[in-house]
Amino acid sequence: MEEKFAAQLFTVREELAKGIAPVFREIKKMGWAGVQISALPQGYDPQEVADALKENQLGTAGMHISLDRLENDLENVVKEADLYGTKDIVCPYLPGEYQTEEGYKAVRKKLNEVAGQLPDYRISYHNHAFEFATEINGVSALEYLLEPVEENKILAEIDVYWVKKGCQDPLAFIQPYANRMPIIHLKDMTNDEQETFAEIGTGKIDFIPILQWGEKSGVEWYAVEQDSCPGNPLDSLALSLENLLKLKEKI
């Protein structure tokens, strides 16, 4: 299973600004099998990213691509996906103006259009907690976007932390997305009143049943992200991987 463990690069966004290749080397040295492409420095060279992936023999657990780029720069997005060796393109966030019933309907239509244009790629959506604040057709906006029906081509990239932050049970919530979630986001939650971001295995989320579900349900990558870290983000990633490997032994 460890060949499916990937570090989400948003975790180390500040380190990447100082140099892409050194960060990738550190991530490989820790034992990660791959990275999820996100938060690259402004003006980055895609070839430099591809070279760092190849040099360190890291897999690519998809790319986080803004809705704006999906609408206005799709040709270059596809070139990058090919360069990095991935078929997974993930919309990671929605600007505030889309966080309405009309906005979510427009996003579902747009992402399905992108999926139709790119039949050889997979288009997914990554959640936060704000999607639970809007109801559409009797379900949350997130469930509406990810509705597991044949005509909806949007796949899930569930972030278990944000599901819990939205007062939902992560294990129950992911059940409908068996074989519709190639990548899942693992992130722990501190066991205190703040309920902020924590290293895997140090907080209140029970990952063993989530990992068991993933192995039966078509998950290809477990991407670990920590939006903010108490110290060096690379140390947080190392601790998360260490604990993830221990959890794997219990499955």
Side-chain angles (χ1 to χ4, degrees), residues 96-112:
E97 62 264 31
Y98 289 100
Q99 296 174 27
T100 65
E101 184 174 346
E102 297 74 24
Y104 288 115
K105 287 180 176 177
V107 168
R108 176 163 159 165
K109 184 171 183 283
K110 182 63 195 174
L111 293 182
N112 271 288

Side-chain angles (χ1 to χ4, degrees), residues 51-107:
D51 290 345
L53 288 166
K54 187 176 180 183
E55 177 198 330
N56 295 288
Q57 296 181 299
L58 286 164
T60 304
M63 310 160 56
H64 273 198
I65 301 293
S66 68
L67 185 62
D68 176 62
R69 279 198 76 193
L70 291 175
E71 290 183 298
N72 301 306
D73 193 29
L74 193 58
E75 187 179 340
N76 285 321
V77 168
V78 170
K79 284 179 184 174
E80 276 192 67
D82 291 347
L83 198 54
Y84 306 152
T86 185
K87 298 296 183 188
D88 287 297
I89 299 169
V90 186
C91 178
Y93 183 79
L94 296 178
E97 62 264 31
Y98 289 100
Q99 296 174 27
T100 65
E101 184 174 346
E102 297 74 24
Y104 288 115
K105 287 180 176 177
V107 168

Side-chain angles (χ1 to χ4, degrees), residues 18-150:
K18 301 169 196 166
I20 291 169
V23 174
F24 280 39
R25 280 196 288 272
E26 280 294 315
I27 286 171
K28 180 63 176 182
K29 199 161 72 175
M30 280 179 213
W32 293 97
V35 294
Q36 186 171 60
I37 304 295
S38 176
L40 295 172
Q42 197 167 1
Y44 68 91
D45 177 3
Q47 188 60 53
E48 182 186 357
V49 178
D51 290 345
L53 288 166
K54 187 176 180 183
E55 177 198 330
N56 295 288
Q57 296 181 299
L58 286 164
T60 304
M63 310 160 56
H64 273 198
I65 301 293
S66 68
L67 185 62
D68 176 62
R69 279 198 76 193
L70 291 175
E71 290 183 298
N72 301 306
D73 193 29
L74 193 58
E75 187 179 340
N76 285 321
V77 168
V78 170
K79 284 179 184 174
E80 276 192 67
D82 291 347
L83 198 54
Y84 306 152
T86 185
K87 298 296 183 188
D88 287 297
I89 299 169
V90 186
C91 178
Y93 183 79
L94 296 178
E97 62 264 31
Y98 289 100
Q99 296 174 27
T100 65
E101 184 174 346
E102 297 74 24
Y104 288 115
K105 287 180 176 177
V107 168
R108 176 163 159 165
K109 184 171 183 283
K110 182 63 195 174
L111 293 182
N112 271 288
E113 284 172 1
V114 171
Q117 289 173 259
L118 304 177
D120 296 330
Y121 299 80
R122 298 185 292 199
I123 308 301
S124 301
Y125 179 80
H126 165 271
N127 65 289
H128 290 77
F130 59 75
E131 298 91 348
F132 293 108
T134 303
E135 191 175 287
I136 303 172
N137 302 340
V139 297
S140 71
L142 182 56
E143 291 163 286
Y144 167 79
L145 285 175
L146 302 179
E147 186 183 6
V149 291
E150 190 177 347

Side-chain angles (χ1 to χ4, degrees), residues 8 36 61 64 88-92 123-129 131-132 140-148 152 154-166 168-188 200 205 207 210-211 213-214 217-225 227:
Q8 221 287 351
Q36 186 171 60
H64 273 198
D88 287 297
I89 299 169
V90 186
C91 178
I123 308 301
S124 301
Y125 179 80
H126 165 271
N127 65 289
H128 290 77
E131 298 91 348
F132 293 108
S140 71
L142 182 56
E143 291 163 286
Y144 167 79
L145 285 175
L146 302 179
E147 186 183 6
N152 184 24
I154 306 170
L155 301 179
E157 185 183 87
I158 298 298
D159 184 309
V160 296
Y161 169 92
W162 287 117
V163 168
K164 192 165 182 66
K165 196 75 167 173
Q168 307 285 320
D169 172 54
L171 183 62
F173 192 84
I174 61 179
Q175 299 303 315
Y177 309 111
N179 302 308
R180 288 182 70 100
M181 182 154 51
I183 308 164
I184 189 170
H185 262 219
L186 304 184
K187 182 189 300 179
D188 215 339
I200 302 296
I205 294 179
F207 287 100
I210 292 169
L211 293 168
W213 178 89
S217 305
V219 170
E220 297 169 21
W221 285 105
Y222 299 93
V224 172
E225 178 183 36
D227 302 46

